[in-house]
């Protein structure tokens, strides 16, 4: 979007709670993201990864193989970006964060899904893709800032806004682009920690 269109769609006066609730819904509906890391030579690398779980507000967990290049990249520079996109609604999420690698077996067992076996095939060395497979590691991405676009208008209104913009030269109002900064993300962590069990 151009600056004029971005300004027309910038969400303002929205409470942190509303921004967080809408963000959670978007992420829950777009569980596959493009996970971007920095190589040692400074170049960016992006690969698709699936969110395993969202915890502590805006933090996200992923599963990976300890033998992949991404772990070397994260050891060199833990700063990452996660990009989510919904092709049907045109909604998107961008998370800038810091990655932490964990091989905590208790945590892996707690999050383990049988579908992981597809990515950790049995190799004859006692590694079978189960929860105790030593290849399995978790990556926690601690969000530092989040920007996202939430559709707030029905499709006919979006088409009308685009047509109107073409005729009048005005910027179309399609939805709301929202930003969550570090202070709001800290608030999200506190909010999640204070939730009653089971909610």
């Amino acid at each position: 979007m151009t600056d004029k269109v971005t300004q027309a769609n910038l969400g303002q006066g929205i409470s942190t709670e509303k921004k967080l609730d809408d963000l959670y819904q978007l992420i829950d509906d777009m569980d596959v993201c493009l996970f971007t890391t920095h190589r040692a030579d400074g170049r960016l690398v992006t690969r698709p990864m699936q969110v395993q779980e969202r915890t502590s507000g805006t933090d996200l967990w992923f599963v990976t193989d300890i033998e992949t290049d991404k772990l070397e990249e994260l050891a060199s520079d833990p700063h990452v970006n996660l990009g989510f996109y919904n092709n049907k609604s045109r909604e998107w999420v961008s998370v800038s964060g810091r990655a932490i690698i964990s091989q905590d077996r208790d945590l892996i067992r707690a999050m383990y899904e049988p579908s992981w076996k597809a990515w950790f095939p049995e190799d004859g060395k006692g590694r079978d893709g189960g929860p105790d497979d030593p290849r399995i590691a978790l990556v926690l991405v601690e969000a530092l800032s989040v920007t996202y676009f939430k559709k707030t208008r029905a499709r006919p209104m979006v088409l009308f806004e685009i047509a109107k913009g073409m005729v009048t030269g005005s910027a179309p109002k399609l939805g709301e682009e929202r930003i969550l900064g570090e202070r709001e993300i800290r608030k999200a962590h506190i909010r999640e920690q204070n939730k009653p069990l089971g909610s």
Side-chain angles (χ1 to χ4, degrees), residues 72-98:
E72 288 179 28
E73 293 158 10
L74 293 175
S76 171
D77 185 346
H79 294 93
V80 299
N81 189 265
L82 310 177
F84 298 82
Y85 184 71
N86 183 323
N87 196 41
K88 289 183 182 175
S89 69
R90 305 291 170 104
E91 294 169 309
W92 54 265
V93 177
S94 175
V95 178
S96 177
R98 183 175 34 252

mmCIF file of all heavy atoms in Angstrom, residues 72-98:
data_model
loop_
_atom_site.group_PDB
_atom_site.id
_atom_site.type_symbol
_atom_site.label_atom_id
_atom_site.label_comp_id
_atom_site.label_asym_id
_atom_site.label_seq_id
_atom_site.Cartn_x
_atom_site.Cartn_y
_atom_site.Cartn_z
ATOM 1 N N GLU A 72 21.839 -22.633 12.980
ATOM 2 C CA GLU A 72 23.110 -21.904 12.898
ATOM 3 C C GLU A 72 22.848 -20.419 12.687
ATOM 4 O O GLU A 72 23.508 -19.557 13.279
ATOM 5 C CB GLU A 72 23.964 -22.445 11.750
ATOM 6 C CG GLU A 72 24.556 -23.814 12.019
ATOM 7 C CD GLU A 72 25.379 -24.312 10.838
ATOM 8 O OE1 GLU A 72 25.919 -23.471 10.088
ATOM 9 O OE2 GLU A 72 25.466 -25.528 10.677
ATOM 10 N N GLU A 73 21.855 -20.119 11.842
ATOM 11 C CA GLU A 73 21.508 -18.723 11.581
ATOM 12 C C GLU A 73 21.007 -18.049 12.852
ATOM 13 O O GLU A 73 21.385 -16.917 13.156
ATOM 14 C CB GLU A 73 20.445 -18.653 10.480
ATOM 15 C CG GLU A 73 20.976 -19.108 9.127
ATOM 16 C CD GLU A 73 19.895 -19.553 8.164
ATOM 17 O OE1 GLU A 73 18.693 -19.343 8.443
ATOM 18 O OE2 GLU A 73 20.249 -20.127 7.116
ATOM 19 N N LEU A 74 20.164 -18.760 13.622
ATOM 20 C CA LEU A 74 19.622 -18.194 14.862
ATOM 21 C C LEU A 74 20.707 -18.036 15.924
ATOM 22 O O LEU A 74 20.657 -17.103 16.726
ATOM 23 C CB LEU A 74 18.476 -19.059 15.393
ATOM 24 C CG LEU A 74 17.220 -19.083 14.522
ATOM 25 C CD1 LEU A 74 16.208 -20.068 15.078
ATOM 26 C CD2 LEU A 74 16.622 -17.702 14.382
ATOM 27 N N ALA A 75 21.687 -18.939 15.931
ATOM 28 C CA ALA A 75 22.794 -18.820 16.883
ATOM 29 C C ALA A 75 23.630 -17.587 16.555
ATOM 30 O O ALA A 75 24.145 -16.905 17.447
ATOM 31 C CB ALA A 75 23.648 -20.079 16.860
ATOM 32 N N SER A 76 23.752 -17.279 15.266
ATOM 33 C CA SER A 76 24.523 -16.120 14.822
ATOM 34 C C SER A 76 23.762 -14.814 15.046
ATOM 35 O O SER A 76 24.336 -13.808 15.451
ATOM 36 C CB SER A 76 24.858 -16.279 13.336
ATOM 37 O OG SER A 76 25.410 -15.112 12.816
ATOM 38 N N ASP A 77 22.443 -14.844 14.783
ATOM 39 C CA ASP A 77 21.605 -13.650 14.955
ATOM 40 C C ASP A 77 20.190 -14.115 15.279
ATOM 41 O O ASP A 77 19.490 -14.633 14.411
ATOM 42 C CB ASP A 77 21.604 -12.813 13.677
ATOM 43 C CG ASP A 77 20.842 -11.504 13.840
ATOM 44 O OD1 ASP A 77 20.088 -11.345 14.830
ATOM 45 O OD2 ASP A 77 20.978 -10.635 12.966
ATOM 46 N N PRO A 78 19.745 -13.944 16.517
ATOM 47 C CA PRO A 78 18.427 -14.453 16.913
ATOM 48 C C PRO A 78 17.244 -13.596 16.460
ATOM 49 O O PRO A 78 16.094 -13.969 16.693
ATOM 50 C CB PRO A 78 18.511 -14.481 18.443
ATOM 51 C CG PRO A 78 19.459 -13.378 18.778
ATOM 52 C CD PRO A 78 20.467 -13.360 17.652
ATOM 53 N N HIS A 79 17.495 -12.457 15.805
ATOM 54 C CA HIS A 79 16.396 -11.592 15.362
ATOM 55 C C HIS A 79 15.726 -12.175 14.123
ATOM 56 O O HIS A 79 16.411 -12.523 13.153
ATOM 57 C CB HIS A 79 16.904 -10.172 15.096
ATOM 58 C CG HIS A 79 17.367 -9.515 16.347
ATOM 59 N ND1 HIS A 79 18.675 -9.563 16.759
ATOM 60 C CD2 HIS A 79 16.689 -8.841 17.300
ATOM 61 C CE1 HIS A 79 18.783 -8.923 17.907
ATOM 62 N NE2 HIS A 79 17.600 -8.480 18.270
ATOM 63 N N VAL A 80 14.402 -12.292 14.182
ATOM 64 C CA VAL A 80 13.635 -12.918 13.102
ATOM 65 C C VAL A 80 12.422 -12.060 12.764
ATOM 66 O O VAL A 80 12.048 -11.157 13.511
ATOM 67 C CB VAL A 80 13.163 -14.338 13.490
ATOM 68 C CG1 VAL A 80 14.351 -15.246 13.775
ATOM 69 C CG2 VAL A 80 12.204 -14.305 14.669
ATOM 70 N N ASN A 81 11.816 -12.392 11.638
ATOM 71 C CA ASN A 81 10.528 -11.815 11.282
ATOM 72 C C ASN A 81 9.612 -12.941 10.834
ATOM 73 O O ASN A 81 10.045 -13.852 10.126
ATOM 74 C CB ASN A 81 10.661 -10.776 10.170
ATOM 75 C CG ASN A 81 9.353 -10.038 9.967
ATOM 76 O OD1 ASN A 81 8.552 -10.399 9.118
ATOM 77 N ND2 ASN A 81 9.119 -9.020 10.765
ATOM 78 N N LEU A 82 8.361 -12.869 11.279
ATOM 79 C CA LEU A 82 7.344 -13.839 10.898
ATOM 80 C C LEU A 82 6.291 -13.115 10.075
ATOM 81 O O LEU A 82 5.755 -12.098 10.519
ATOM 82 C CB LEU A 82 6.685 -14.453 12.136
ATOM 83 C CG LEU A 82 7.617 -15.006 13.213
ATOM 84 C CD1 LEU A 82 6.801 -15.505 14.396
ATOM 85 C CD2 LEU A 82 8.490 -16.112 12.660
ATOM 86 N N GLY A 83 5.998 -13.626 8.902
ATOM 87 C CA GLY A 83 4.985 -13.026 8.045
ATOM 88 C C GLY A 83 3.839 -13.994 7.816
ATOM 89 O O GLY A 83 4.058 -15.134 7.409
ATOM 90 N N PHE A 84 2.620 -13.557 8.101
ATOM 91 C CA PHE A 84 1.409 -14.363 7.892
ATOM 92 C C PHE A 84 0.539 -13.653 6.856
ATOM 93 O O PHE A 84 0.466 -12.423 6.851
ATOM 94 C CB PHE A 84 0.588 -14.465 9.191
ATOM 95 C CG PHE A 84 1.282 -15.130 10.332
ATOM 96 C CD1 PHE A 84 2.177 -14.432 11.128
ATOM 97 C CD2 PHE A 84 1.018 -16.454 10.651
ATOM 98 C CE1 PHE A 84 2.794 -15.032 12.211
ATOM 99 C CE2 PHE A 84 1.636 -17.066 11.728
ATOM 100 C CZ PHE A 84 2.524 -16.359 12.507
ATOM 101 N N TYR A 85 -0.168 -14.435 6.018
ATOM 102 C CA TYR A 85 -1.046 -13.830 5.028
ATOM 103 C C TYR A 85 -2.242 -14.741 4.782
ATOM 104 O O TYR A 85 -2.094 -15.948 4.643
ATOM 105 C CB TYR A 85 -0.300 -13.603 3.714
ATOM 106 C CG TYR A 85 -1.121 -12.899 2.666
ATOM 107 C CD1 TYR A 85 -1.447 -11.554 2.803
ATOM 108 C CD2 TYR A 85 -1.586 -13.578 1.551
ATOM 109 C CE1 TYR A 85 -2.209 -10.900 1.852
ATOM 110 C CE2 TYR A 85 -2.347 -12.931 0.586
ATOM 111 C CZ TYR A 85 -2.662 -11.598 0.743
ATOM 112 O OH TYR A 85 -3.421 -10.955 -0.203
ATOM 113 N N ASN A 86 -3.429 -14.141 4.719
ATOM 114 C CA ASN A 86 -4.655 -14.868 4.397
ATOM 115 C C ASN A 86 -5.077 -14.426 3.005
ATOM 116 O O ASN A 86 -5.503 -13.281 2.817
ATOM 117 C CB ASN A 86 -5.750 -14.568 5.425
ATOM 118 C CG ASN A 86 -7.010 -15.365 5.174
ATOM 119 O OD1 ASN A 86 -7.405 -15.600 4.041
ATOM 120 N ND2 ASN A 86 -7.659 -15.765 6.247
ATOM 121 N N ASN A 87 -4.959 -15.312 2.029
ATOM 122 C CA ASN A 87 -5.232 -14.971 0.638
ATOM 123 C C ASN A 87 -6.696 -14.591 0.414
ATOM 124 O O ASN A 87 -6.998 -13.754 -0.427
ATOM 125 C CB ASN A 87 -4.836 -16.141 -0.267
ATOM 126 C CG ASN A 87 -4.736 -15.725 -1.717
ATOM 127 O OD1 ASN A 87 -4.221 -14.657 -2.029
ATOM 128 N ND2 ASN A 87 -5.248 -16.551 -2.595
ATOM 129 N N LYS A 88 -7.611 -15.203 1.158
ATOM 130 C CA LYS A 88 -9.037 -14.918 0.962
ATOM 131 C C LYS A 88 -9.416 -13.539 1.477
ATOM 132 O O LYS A 88 -10.115 -12.783 0.817
ATOM 133 C CB LYS A 88 -9.894 -15.983 1.653
ATOM 134 C CG LYS A 88 -9.846 -17.327 0.969
ATOM 135 C CD LYS A 88 -10.757 -18.317 1.657
ATOM 136 C CE LYS A 88 -10.655 -19.674 0.973
ATOM 137 N NZ LYS A 88 -11.421 -20.695 1.651
ATOM 138 N N SER A 89 -8.973 -13.204 2.669
ATOM 139 C CA SER A 89 -9.375 -11.934 3.281
ATOM 140 C C SER A 89 -8.395 -10.793 3.020
ATOM 141 O O SER A 89 -8.704 -9.639 3.270
ATOM 142 C CB SER A 89 -9.532 -12.114 4.795
ATOM 143 O OG SER A 89 -8.272 -12.338 5.392
ATOM 144 N N ARG A 90 -7.179 -11.135 2.536
ATOM 145 C CA ARG A 90 -6.103 -10.169 2.317
ATOM 146 C C ARG A 90 -5.577 -9.589 3.634
ATOM 147 O O ARG A 90 -4.923 -8.554 3.651
ATOM 148 C CB ARG A 90 -6.521 -9.032 1.377
ATOM 149 C CG ARG A 90 -7.050 -9.495 0.026
ATOM 150 C CD ARG A 90 -5.941 -10.099 -0.806
ATOM 151 N NE ARG A 90 -6.430 -10.755 -2.003
ATOM 152 C CZ ARG A 90 -6.335 -10.258 -3.216
ATOM 153 N NH1 ARG A 90 -5.786 -9.098 -3.406
ATOM 154 N NH2 ARG A 90 -6.772 -10.943 -4.245
ATOM 155 N N GLU A 91 -5.868 -10.254 4.741
ATOM 156 C CA GLU A 91 -5.345 -9.824 6.034
ATOM 157 C C GLU A 91 -3.933 -10.371 6.191
ATOM 158 O O GLU A 91 -3.598 -11.416 5.633
ATOM 159 C CB GLU A 91 -6.250 -10.334 7.159
ATOM 160 C CG GLU A 91 -7.631 -9.709 7.114
ATOM 161 C CD GLU A 91 -8.617 -10.387 8.047
ATOM 162 O OE1 GLU A 91 -8.734 -11.628 7.989
ATOM 163 O OE2 GLU A 91 -9.283 -9.684 8.808
ATOM 164 N N TRP A 92 -3.103 -9.664 6.959
ATOM 165 C CA TRP A 92 -1.723 -10.093 7.149
ATOM 166 C C TRP A 92 -1.226 -9.683 8.529
ATOM 167 O O TRP A 92 -1.786 -8.808 9.178
ATOM 168 C CB TRP A 92 -0.808 -9.539 6.060
ATOM 169 C CG TRP A 92 -0.870 -8.050 5.883
ATOM 170 C CD1 TRP A 92 -1.637 -7.354 4.994
ATOM 171 C CD2 TRP A 92 -0.137 -7.057 6.613
ATOM 172 N NE1 TRP A 92 -1.434 -6.004 5.122
ATOM 173 C CE2 TRP A 92 -0.518 -5.784 6.116
ATOM 174 C CE3 TRP A 92 0.796 -7.116 7.649
ATOM 175 C CZ2 TRP A 92 0.009 -4.592 6.613
ATOM 176 C CZ3 TRP A 92 1.318 -5.927 8.144
ATOM 177 C CH2 TRP A 92 0.930 -4.686 7.622
ATOM 178 N N VAL A 93 -0.158 -10.378 8.950
ATOM 179 C CA VAL A 93 0.488 -10.103 10.234
ATOM 180 C C VAL A 93 2.004 -10.146 10.022
ATOM 181 O O VAL A 93 2.506 -11.032 9.341
ATOM 182 C CB VAL A 93 0.104 -11.153 11.309
ATOM 183 C CG1 VAL A 93 0.852 -10.890 12.621
ATOM 184 C CG2 VAL A 93 -1.395 -11.193 11.536
ATOM 185 N N SER A 94 2.712 -9.190 10.613
ATOM 186 C CA SER A 94 4.177 -9.185 10.602
ATOM 187 C C SER A 94 4.651 -9.075 12.052
ATOM 188 O O SER A 94 4.306 -8.121 12.739
ATOM 189 C CB SER A 94 4.691 -8.001 9.787
ATOM 190 O OG SER A 94 6.105 -7.932 9.875
ATOM 191 N N VAL A 95 5.420 -10.079 12.487
ATOM 192 C CA VAL A 95 5.942 -10.112 13.855
ATOM 193 C C VAL A 95 7.454 -9.990 13.795
ATOM 194 O O VAL A 95 8.130 -10.801 13.165
ATOM 195 C CB VAL A 95 5.564 -11.426 14.578
ATOM 196 C CG1 VAL A 95 6.169 -11.464 15.980
ATOM 197 C CG2 VAL A 95 4.047 -11.607 14.630
ATOM 198 N N SER A 96 7.994 -8.981 14.443
ATOM 199 C CA SER A 96 9.441 -8.830 14.581
ATOM 200 C C SER A 96 9.790 -9.320 15.974
ATOM 201 O O SER A 96 9.194 -8.882 16.960
ATOM 202 C CB SER A 96 9.820 -7.356 14.423
ATOM 203 O OG SER A 96 11.200 -7.198 14.633
ATOM 204 N N GLY A 97 10.733 -10.273 16.054
ATOM 205 C CA GLY A 97 11.023 -10.827 17.371
ATOM 206 C C GLY A 97 12.410 -11.412 17.495
ATOM 207 O O GLY A 97 13.255 -11.269 16.608
ATOM 208 N N ARG A 98 12.602 -12.090 18.619
ATOM 209 C CA ARG A 98 13.875 -12.723 18.948
ATOM 210 C C ARG A 98 13.603 -14.206 19.192
ATOM 211 O O ARG A 98 12.684 -14.555 19.937
ATOM 212 C CB ARG A 98 14.470 -12.065 20.179
ATOM 213 C CG ARG A 98 15.825 -12.570 20.584
ATOM 214 C CD ARG A 98 16.441 -11.809 21.758
ATOM 215 N NE ARG A 98 15.484 -11.329 22.738
ATOM 216 C CZ ARG A 98 15.135 -10.042 22.900
ATOM 217 N NH1 ARG A 98 15.664 -9.106 22.142
ATOM 218 N NH2 ARG A 98 14.287 -9.699 23.829
#
